[in-house]
Amino acid sequence: MVFCMNNDRREEMIAQRLAELRGSMGDFEAPASIRPVVLEAFRASRRRGPAVFYRWGAIAACAALLAAGLYWAWGRTARAPVARVPVVNAPAVVRNFVPPAPEHVVARATRPLRRRVSPSRSPVPQELATSFFALPYAAPLSPEDGGQVVRVTLPRSAMSSVGLPVNEDRWYDRVPADVVLGQDGIARAVRFVKVAQ
Amino acid sequence: MLPEFSDGELVERAARGDEGAFGALYDRRQGGIYRFALQMSGSREIAEEVTQEAFITLARGLSRYEAARGTVSAYLYGIARKLVLRWIERDRGFENGDAVEAIVGESGPLEGLLQSETVEAVRRAVLALPASYREAVVLCDLQEMSYEEAAEAMGCPVGTVRSRLNRGRALLAERLRAAKWCFA
């Protein structure tokens, strides 16, 4: 009777039926058309190996070149505040350059501007400067004498003394200027600076 | 000469570019994978797709196979299992067995009509099982895998395989009893 069979008998019958099913499909195989497709995929994967290697190598090389270019450009940008000051005919006595400083600062030793400054973090006002004008009645300095550049402010009228045009309405306005001082403290040259914020 | 190598050795050689080794591995394992996919899906078309995709996946990822994590056979069945479950998920029609193709008797030797009908009924009952129980029955009872190998292929503990197998067999018995094929 169907409903009186115990579990063991049921398990045995199930196993028998499954074995019949297994036997009926025992010789089933994938169609022969699949084999060449699979082997072609295998060959393609072997060919692709070196291609992938070279492709990633090329990408890595491009990335390295790009990084080097950005590093170089960033370095140039960081040095730009100094380089943008169009100094023409600067006297040889100028060994150090003093960045914009308060008016009352005089003759302060400065350190070379070697440290890179990120333009985005500390914006530096751009400056336009005239060339240095030698002051009359002062002995010229040789490179061996050395000297310092100090930032001062002068009345605009001082610009006329070196032949620069001055707006009459702003005759008494003050303008930043860099003065070259010799070791003896005597001014030898001057240039006028326009600070653009 | 190649048939003397184990599956693992064939995979190693294939990973070094030996096409003959890969071909030998295919010849050795394609039948089982094909039958597994056929028993799981009930469709020749799906079985062919799964077999092809499983070996292509193996070819592309030979270096990913780690012998310490299981046998090549279990690895292959694991790939095929994922593929066939994806197909079943895509086409729920196979879950209830309504769209199952008539397979038995087409390729094998002609048997008695009653036996063919019995086998066909068992096959349909297997296909009607929920996928999680079906794969346990197919792997352990039809593919004659050990519990450990089936667990590797299914990606679950051995205890889970045992429980799913027991539950699958019980469901199978109920369905066959309802169809009066098992204990008549």
Side-chain angles (χ1 to χ4, degrees), chain B residues 14-111:
Chain B
R16 293 196 297 268
D18 186 343
E19 185 179 328
F22 190 77
L25 182 65
Y26 174 84
D27 293 340
R28 185 181 295 175
R29 293 296 171 191
Q30 55 85 20
I33 296 295
Y34 177 76
R35 286 191 293 276
F36 166 74
L38 187 59
Q39 289 155 354
M40 283 293 290
S41 67
S43 163
R44 278 201 174 85
E45 185 184 346
I46 292 177
E48 291 170 13
E49 286 285 338
V50 167
T51 305
Q52 182 172 304
E53 278 301 307
F55 280 96
I56 288 175
T57 303
L58 178 66
R60 290 174 179 166
L62 281 166
S63 56
R64 284 198 291 273
Y65 168 70
E66 296 174 26
R69 298 180 63 179
T71 63
V72 175
S73 172
Y75 183 68
L76 256 177
Y77 275 98
I79 296 172
R81 170 184 169 268
K82 287 177 185 170
L83 291 169
V84 79
L85 288 178
R86 197 181 302 163
W87 273 101
I88 290 171
E89 190 67 27
R90 201 179 298 172
D91 190 352
R92 286 276 182 181
F94 292 111
E95 286 287 339
N96 56 21
D98 292 341
V100 171
E101 299 169 13
I103 292 172
V104 176
E106 279 191 31
S107 300
L110 195 60
E111 298 173 347

Side-chain angles (χ1 to χ4, degrees), chain A:
Chain A
M1 285 293 293
V2 169
F3 299 106
C4 297
M5 286 184 175
N6 58 30
N7 284 343
D8 290 342
R9 176 71 177 145
R10 190 183 65 183
E11 287 278 330
E12 187 181 329
M13 292 300 291
I14 287 291
Q16 184 181 336
R17 296 295 181 243
L18 287 171
E20 287 174 10
L21 176 59
R22 185 171 62 240
S24 71
M25 300 175 76
D27 55 351
F28 279 27
E29 292 195 338
S33 59
I34 293 178
R35 193 178 195 275
V37 175
V38 168
L39 291 182
E40 178 53 35
F42 174 81
R43 283 191 288 270
S45 69
R46 295 300 99 186
R47 285 194 299 268
R48 200 179 52 194
V52 168
F53 173 79
Y54 287 129
R55 187 168 65 217
W56 280 106
I59 290 171
C62 288
L65 282 175
L66 181 63
L70 286 174
Y71 181 80
W72 178 79
W74 181 74
R76 282 177 61 88
T77 306
R79 287 192 293 271
V82 176
R84 282 177 191 160
V85 179
V87 179
V88 181
N89 299 327
V93 297
V94 179
R95 284 184 174 173
N96 301 313
F97 178 80
V98 180
E103 182 181 344
H104 58 275
V105 175
V106 292
R108 182 167 61 87
T110 58
R111 59 177 173 163
L113 291 177
R114 284 184 179 175
R115 187 165 58 94
R116 285 202 178 97
V117 179
S118 172
S120 59
R121 280 189 300 170
S122 56
V124 177
Q126 295 186 10
E127 295 182 348
L128 293 174
T130 66
S131 57
F132 278 94
F133 297 94
L135 295 175
Y137 312 113
L141 291 176
S142 64
E144 290 76 22
D145 292 332
Q148 288 183 328
V149 178
V150 295
R151 173 65 54 90
V152 299
T153 58
L154 298 172
R156 282 184 177 272
S157 58
M159 295 170 65
S160 65
S161 63
V162 295
L164 295 174
V166 180
N167 186 339
E168 295 280 339
D169 296 332
R170 303 176 65 187
W171 188 260
Y172 297 106
D173 288 355
R174 302 189 74 80
V175 60
D178 292 331
V179 176
V180 178
L181 300 175
Q183 294 286 6
D184 53 5
I186 296 173
R188 305 298 170 89
V190 65
R191 72 176 181 181
F192 296 93
V193 178
K194 180 180 181 181
V195 179
Q197 294 296 334

Side-chain angles (χ1 to χ4, degrees), chain B residues 133-179:
Chain B
Y133 302 132
R134 192 191 322 163
E135 61 185 1
V137 170
V138 168
L139 289 173
C140 295
D141 287 337
L142 298 182
Q143 296 291 319
E144 297 183 287
M145 274 188 170
S146 67
Y147 292 140
E148 288 75 17
E149 277 186 314
E152 286 175 23
M154 292 167 63
C156 64
V158 172
T160 305
V161 174
R162 287 178 189 272
S163 63
R164 286 183 184 176
L165 185 60
N166 284 335
R167 180 65 183 148
R169 284 172 178 167
L171 284 173
L172 198 58
E174 285 177 19
R175 290 175 192 277
L176 289 173
R177 189 172 59 193

